[in-house]
Amino acid sequence: MSSDPTSEGDSSSGVLPSEQRPDRPDQPVVTEVQEPTIDESAHTDAENNDKENDIEDETPAKPLAPNKPTPKTHPGWSRDPAKLYALYTQTLSDEELSVFKEKAVYCPCCFTISRDLSIFSSKLPLKPNQTPIIRWSLDLLALVEATEARCTFCTFMAVKFFFRSGLLVFGVLELNNDIACCAAGDLSQVTEATEKAISKLREFCGKNPGAGLGMVVEPIDYVPEERRVSRIKISAQSREVISQKAASELLRHSTSIILEICTTKDDPAAQFIKGRPINPDPASEASINQAKTWINDCLHNHSECPSPTPTPLPKRILKISPDAENLSLYTSSQDNPAPYTALSYCWGESQSFTTTLATFSHVTAGFQTSELPQTLQDAVILTAKLGLEYIWIDSLCIIQDSPEDKADEIPKMAAYYKNAHATICAAGGSASDGFLHTRHECEKHPGLGLSKNLLSMPYFFPVDDEDPNSKEAVVGTMYFCEDTPHLLSWEPVSRRSWTLQEQLLSPRVLMYGSRLVWQCHSKQAADGGVEDWSGDRNASDHRRIQLALRDVDTESSDATLIVTSTSSEKDPNGPASEDIDKNPPTQGAAPTKDKDITSLLQIWYHSLRMFSRRALTYAPDKLPAIAGLATEFANLSGDTYLAGHWRSQLLRELMWSTYPNLKLFKPSQWRAPTWSWASVDNDLYWEWMPDLRDVRMRGVAEVLDVGTGLKYEGEDNVYGEVEEEGCRLVIRGPVLSMDGGKGGEDGLSSYLRGVYGMPPPSGVGTDWLQESMGLLPQDGGKVGGDSEWVAPVGAKLLVLWARVGRDGDEEDVEKDAESNAKPESEDKKVVTDDERKEMVKNKLDSSNRAVLSGIVIGKTDDGKYEKVATFTKFSLTVEGGPALGFLEGSAEVVDIV
């Protein structure tokens, strides 16, 4: 096969003829990156191919570099690497080339890929938005013959590109490559997938003689300054001697494939290939050293990460013996600071070993590490290997059957994780799983140090005449596999409610899941594998919240955060969205050192959205599971916490909804008042909160009384469980009924289903699926909806917010004010900015139109009300008077439980 990266129209044959010289081209192709497509016009016949193949390359031959090391042998490749150097660097006679081909010295089908990948590591005169590409003319019959000859790369292409054997699993490694057991596997054992691929390709070539494809190879993560890559994309961009119909049939699975490429750090190719294999043994010395390097680098070189100043130990901490075989529960003193680790993990089931009132004396006296579940054992061993003596584990450092101790300690978890030297996050689904065992290794070749989904091929890099350090050509080993994006959010620990606050508050996290991942406030990295997290929306959101919280925490160290009530219409604050990336509204003329809490609230709402999508084993833990994070936010804002809400923002936060689901998922026993989001297990949606920067927005309700009944007394317990007795919310606001028109509760039900994008009741001839599919959550949230949902009898609308006037009203007033402004004439009145704002306000307040939002309330047996749903965009037009006046006249006092 021939490859000519200097030509835009390369259509050479896939089979390298004896006349063709395999010399390396001097210059690569550079082009703007674009989505590959099949070019119907690039239909090159065999005659044209033959003409192109007769063109000899006139590039002068480079001398063979002396004293070359002997690389490893690769399946389907050279048994004599020195001869392969000769093939790569100098012109050979037809007789020599024929001998090499007979002895399988190189693969004539994919040699160009291995040879020309080094283009991505070359010094290139690139323009902005340009990237080098490789053009590969793939002869399909040559691919079949190479696959039959057991070339690893060609077999991979035949099986994966053309027939997509197996499923691509996101979030975890694709372990079954259907080609060989691993990189050290024997390709002489033909797999069923390979046999099928060969059979189908041969059949296709029989029907389409001379068929080929024009392939393009481009780097995914190319950085010209680094000149190293870790992923490449191979795309079919043109067809050769194939009809459009045949090409479509052949490429029905895909027209491109993305490969992860990597090599070991001590391989000659390491200077050119950025990727490193995932370390399958997290307990290995190399993995432990990597963890130590990350921690030390963070502590001493990251200015945005917390300083290494020792902090007080938690109230109770586990002390580890020097050999890590024994532990004891140690009650610390505040005057004895020391570094410690904290464990974040999934319990999974009832713990076999915990600290209780009965076992307290045993754990304080000392016990063997082997008595613990495997995950806890591994955490202790890892802590000792990191050189630390203490570890905090919730099931052992909190007395599990003491409600008082739990109520006292759970709110302190925020400080425990924030002050930890490092948090060990065991990403498995159970405490019995462990995390230091080897994973993804080939059973036939243990100790290889490579995941079994990797395959290998040679990597060539020639002598660089312009680089004085380049003295000889390099032949290294490149490992490759189909791109398998690692989704942190798919790890079991990322789906557990309790672990959200643990991960958000920890300044340094070692996450042991499908691979070892490091996170701190300045860096995110992995112990091998592609470090691209952009495709994981939930993990990206988590990361942004973590960094935003860091920034707010840093700013609050020398600033006082202002808490402004939203109980009246005059509040100028308030986040317009849960999206923490948007520019927040500003307070206005605040003192220099003061900052409003808008950005902090945005982080809070976004955290609750993520929290609501996580699983909770024990229903009463809804509020305790986020108590640590609530404690942190309270410390930063100075606000008062009310069963999941902040007092200063209560009227806005009552607009939380379960969109797009009207059906409420509630625990079997009472957990929180209905006005609190903690009363439901639905995914939370915060986009319906009013934007108080909008000059047309008016608050039309007021909170008369609010309180929560705490289950346990104590200042810190305001963030924990609440009791039904003592929880109250009394609001005075407009209460409306939907009478007439569609009629009563049926009309209200129909309206709400429209707002929520819900299907109509059965029997209504509407294809609701078509209409609602676009509204379903895209990030794994709870969905669902009851097509038979109806509002409870007597349900009403409690209006909290009104957007008054019509679009353009404020512009009309501005024009009036402008016409009254003082130009040359003295008889015109000067209109100040304050007067102008007042004119706009009066104009809007006198409008007979408003768009309303608030909550739907239903009556309880004792005559009080409960929150049933949230509503928005309810249009109101009043005949003969202002909308605000009508709403004021409709006000009632309601008691919501």
Side-chain angles (χ1 to χ4, degrees):
M1 171 152 315
S2 164
S3 169
D4 182 9
T6 65
S7 172
E8 288 293 329
D10 178 23
S11 57
S12 56
S13 170
V15 181
L16 183 67
S18 58
E19 304 83 42
Q20 181 77 12
R21 299 294 186 254
D23 301 327
R24 178 182 179 78
D26 288 336
Q27 296 295 330
V29 166
V30 291
T31 183
E32 293 188 9
V33 182
Q34 53 186 328
E35 186 64 25
T37 57
I38 296 296
D39 182 3
E40 297 186 29
S41 64
H43 186 186
T44 307
D45 56 29
E47 181 180 356
N48 290 336
N49 280 337
D50 292 338
K51 291 180 180 179
E52 287 197 89
N53 289 335
D54 289 336
I55 301 174
E56 295 213 353
D57 185 31
E58 297 179 359
T59 304
K62 296 181 180 179
L64 186 65
N67 302 320
K68 296 174 295 299
T70 302
K72 299 177 182 179
T73 301
H74 303 275
W77 286 78
S78 173
R79 299 185 181 89
D80 186 352
K83 292 291 186 181
L84 196 55
Y85 273 117
L87 177 65
Y88 183 52
T89 58
Q90 70 180 24
T91 304
L92 304 175
S93 67
D94 294 346
E95 183 179 353
E96 288 174 317
L97 187 59
S98 177
V99 171
F100 286 153
K101 291 175 66 176
E102 289 177 4
K103 294 185 177 181
V105 172
Y106 75 106
C107 176
C109 182
C110 67
F111 177 67
T112 182
I113 297 297
S114 182
R115 179 191 66 184
D116 290 343
L117 280 178
S118 58
I119 284 175
F120 302 144
S121 303
S122 303
K123 296 178 180 178
L124 304 172
L126 296 176
K127 297 178 181 179
N129 300 322
Q130 286 188 322
T131 185
I133 65 170
I134 300 171
R135 295 194 179 277
W136 175 27
S137 183
L138 175 60
D139 184 289
L140 295 181
L141 183 57
L143 179 68
V144 173
E145 293 172 347
T147 302
E148 291 175 333
R150 307 297 179 262
C151 170
T152 305
F153 186 78
C154 290
T155 303
F156 175 88
M157 287 296 292
V159 173
K160 292 292 185 181
F161 184 82
F162 291 101
F163 299 105
R164 288 290 187 191
S165 171
L167 294 175
L168 179 61
V169 180
F170 291 89
V172 296
L173 291 178
E174 168 61 63
L175 298 181
N176 301 314
N177 57 45
D178 290 329
I179 296 170
C181 61
C182 65
D186 184 5
L187 265 71
S188 63
Q189 302 296 320
V190 182
T191 65
E192 180 181 356
T194 302
E195 286 183 345
K196 289 182 178 180
I198 291 174
S199 176
K200 291 181 178 180
L201 277 174
R202 272 210 173 276
E203 180 182 357
F204 182 86
C205 290
K207 297 177 180 179
N208 301 271
L213 292 173
M215 312 293 285
V216 169
V217 183
E218 57 186 313
I220 296 296
D221 51 358
Y222 183 74
V223 179
E225 294 77 14
E226 292 184 3
R227 294 192 294 156
R228 297 193 303 164
V229 296
S230 59
R231 286 189 297 171
I232 59 174
K233 182 178 182 180
I234 303 178
S235 308
Q237 289 199 337
S238 62
R239 51 193 172 86
E240 303 170 6
V241 201
I242 313 177
S243 67
Q244 177 63 35
K245 180 179 179 181
S248 298
E249 176 64 20
L250 179 66
L251 300 173
R252 64 184 183 276
H253 295 288
S254 176
T255 60
S256 64
I257 187 171
I258 295 177
L259 304 186
E260 296 180 15
I261 60 175
C262 62
T263 191
T264 55
K265 65 178 182 179
D266 54 353
D267 191 276
Q271 58 183 310
F272 311 116
I273 298 176
K274 180 165 56 176
R276 298 291 175 264
I278 295 172
N279 190 336
D281 184 5
S284 65
E285 182 179 357
S287 183
I288 299 298
N289 287 339
Q290 178 63 79
K292 288 181 178 179
T293 299
W294 282 330
I295 294 174
N296 290 333
D297 185 40
C298 176
L299 291 174
H300 299 104
N301 299 319
H302 293 173
S303 59
E304 294 184 336
C305 293
S307 64
T309 305
T311 55
L313 290 170
K315 178 180 178 180
R316 302 187 195 95
I317 195 88
L318 291 166
K319 189 172 184 179
I320 307 171
S321 65
D323 58 8
E325 294 183 358
N326 296 282
L327 296 166
S328 60
L329 186 62
Y330 169 71
T331 301
S332 66
S333 58
Q334 294 298 311
D335 57 354
N336 182 28
Y340 65 92
T341 62
L343 177 63
S344 176
Y345 67 110
C346 295
W347 282 33
E349 68 276 328
S350 297
Q351 297 293 282
S352 59
F353 191 104
T354 62
T355 295
T356 63
L357 294 171
T359 63
F360 186 79
S361 58
H362 171 62
V363 295
T364 53
F367 59 97
Q368 293 183 335
T369 305
S370 59
E371 297 180 55
L372 298 175
Q374 190 61 53
T375 293
L376 278 63
Q377 289 187 44
D378 287 353
V380 171
I381 294 170
L382 177 59
T383 299
K385 288 187 176 183
L386 293 175
L388 302 182
E389 187 180 6
Y390 299 100
I391 182 172
W392 188 88
I393 302 175
D394 57 359
S395 62
L396 298 173
C397 297
I398 299 176
I399 302 175
Q400 295 300 307
D401 59 350
S402 170
E404 292 76 18
D405 191 61
K406 291 175 71 174
D408 182 55
E409 285 293 289
I410 286 176
K412 298 176 182 176
M413 289 172 63
Y416 294 164
Y417 283 99
K418 279 191 67 175
N419 294 335
H421 190 74
T423 293
I424 300 169
C425 180
S430 170
S432 61
D433 289 348
F435 60 87
L436 288 182
H437 54 276
T438 57
R439 63 200 70 193
H440 315 313
E441 270 201 322
C442 178
E443 296 178 358
K444 296 181 180 179
H445 302 90
L448 188 63
L450 298 171
S451 300
K452 63 182 180 180
N453 66 321
L454 291 176
L455 298 171
S456 66
M457 70 183 297
Y459 178 89
F460 300 90
F461 197 87
V463 174
D464 187 347
D465 295 334
E466 298 181 1
D467 186 353
N469 297 320
S470 178
K471 298 180 180 180
E472 61 182 30
V474 172
V475 174
T477 301
M478 181 182 79
Y479 299 98
F480 65 93
C481 65
E482 187 170 4
D483 186 36
T484 50
H486 180 214
L487 305 187
L488 291 172
S489 61
W490 280 32
E491 298 283 5
V493 74
S494 297
R495 300 194 294 269
R496 179 176 174 250
S497 296
W498 278 94
T499 59
L500 176 66
Q501 62 178 6
E502 297 165 5
Q503 295 168 9
L504 287 179
L505 295 172
S506 298
R508 287 167 288 275
V509 178
L510 289 165
M511 177 180 283
Y512 287 84
S514 299
R515 65 185 73 174
L516 171 57
V517 174
W518 163 262
Q519 289 182 328
C520 68
H521 291 168
S522 303
K523 182 178 181 179
Q524 183 165 274
D527 189 13
V530 174
E531 297 179 0
D532 180 6
W533 326 102
S534 59
D536 191 348
R537 173 184 168 184
N538 283 343
S540 297
D541 288 350
H542 177 283
R543 182 67 173 162
R544 285 197 294 269
I545 293 173
Q546 188 180 50
L547 297 180
L549 186 58
R550 171 206 66 187
D551 294 339
V552 171
D553 194 4
T554 302
E555 292 169 357
S556 68
S557 62
D558 57 3
T560 302
L561 295 172
I562 299 175
V563 179
T564 307
S565 173
T566 59
S567 59
S568 76
E569 62 188 51
K570 296 180 180 179
D571 176 25
N573 298 308
S577 168
E578 68 183 52
D579 187 348
I580 65 176
D581 292 327
K582 293 182 179 178
N583 294 325
T586 56
Q587 170 99 22
T592 305
K593 274 196 165 184
D594 291 345
K595 306 184 80 67
D596 67 69
I597 63 168
T598 300
S599 57
L600 187 64
L601 288 171
Q602 289 174 314
I603 300 170
W604 173 251
Y605 301 137
H606 208 132
S607 299
L608 288 183
R609 184 187 68 83
M610 296 185 66
F611 178 75
S612 68
R613 283 157 168 75
R614 295 187 171 214
L616 194 65
T617 303
Y618 186 51
D621 282 349
K622 191 76 169 185
L623 287 171
I626 203 168
L629 196 60
T631 303
E632 180 71 7
F633 276 83
N635 291 336
L636 290 171
S637 69
D639 209 343
T640 301
Y641 193 66
L642 299 167
H645 294 273
W646 302 107
R647 182 187 291 272
S648 71
Q649 306 294 318
L650 186 55
L651 280 180
R652 294 187 70 249
E653 293 181 1
L654 287 177
M655 291 296 298
W656 64 265
S657 76
T658 57
Y659 174 86
N661 201 346
L662 276 168
K663 180 179 179 181
L664 301 181
F665 297 96
K666 291 192 173 185
S668 57
Q669 296 183 341
W670 188 95
R671 182 174 61 200
T674 63
W675 48 266
S676 168
W677 56 261
S679 63
V680 301
D681 289 323
N682 298 65
D683 296 346
L684 297 179
Y685 185 76
W686 295 93
E687 291 290 344
W688 290 349
M689 290 192 300
D691 179 2
L692 300 183
R693 295 169 297 181
D694 186 349
V695 297
R696 293 170 56 188
M697 189 62 66
R698 302 288 184 268
V700 294
E702 60 178 326
V703 177
L704 301 181
D705 188 23
V706 62
T708 55
L710 303 180
K711 190 169 184 178
Y712 304 104
E713 296 298 326
E715 182 180 350
D716 291 335
N717 292 331
V718 297
Y719 309 104
E721 293 182 62
V722 295
E723 290 186 327
E724 187 170 7
E725 183 178 355
C727 286
R728 64 193 182 280
L729 175 61
V730 182
I731 293 180
R732 181 184 183 277
V735 177
L736 307 179
S737 299
M738 288 191 65
D739 296 325
K742 296 181 180 179
E745 290 74 36
D746 290 339
L748 179 57
S749 301
S750 177
Y751 160 70
L752 288 174
R753 277 196 297 269
V755 171
Y756 279 72
M758 294 287 291
S762 57
V764 177
T766 302
D767 186 2
W768 68 267
L769 184 60
Q770 260 187 345
E771 298 175 0
S772 63
M773 277 298 290
L775 300 174
L776 298 181
Q778 301 299 309
D779 49 4
K782 306 178 192 72
V783 297
D786 186 354
S787 62
E788 305 301 327
W789 185 92
V790 294
V793 176
K796 299 180 180 181
L797 304 180
L798 174 58
V799 184
L800 303 178
W801 300 92
R803 190 168 187 263
V804 296
R806 297 175 297 180
D807 291 338
D809 278 355
E810 54 267 49
E811 288 82 0
D812 292 341
V813 176
E814 290 284 354
K815 291 178 181 178
D816 293 341
E818 188 67 28
S819 65
N820 287 326
K822 181 179 180 182
E824 301 86 4
S825 175
E826 292 294 332
D827 60 348
K828 287 195 174 181
K829 179 183 177 183
V830 175
V831 180
T832 65
D833 287 343
D834 288 342
E835 290 174 328
R836 188 190 307 266
K837 291 178 182 179
E838 186 65 21
M839 291 172 62
V840 171
K841 181 179 181 303
N842 292 337
K843 169 72 173 179
L844 294 171
D845 288 352
S846 63
S847 174
N848 69 331
R849 296 187 181 187
V851 178
L852 313 179
S853 58
I855 61 176
V856 182
I857 54 175
K859 244 181 182 177
T860 60
D861 294 338
D862 59 359
K864 296 182 180 180
Y865 289 90
E866 62 180 357
K867 178 177 177 178
V868 175
T870 307
F871 74 91
T872 187
K873 296 182 180 179
F874 185 93
S875 296
L876 173 69
T877 301
V878 178
E879 297 292 340
L884 289 180
F886 171 81
L887 292 173
E888 176 62 27
S890 305
E892 299 179 19
V893 175
V894 295
D895 191 346
I896 308 174
V897 294

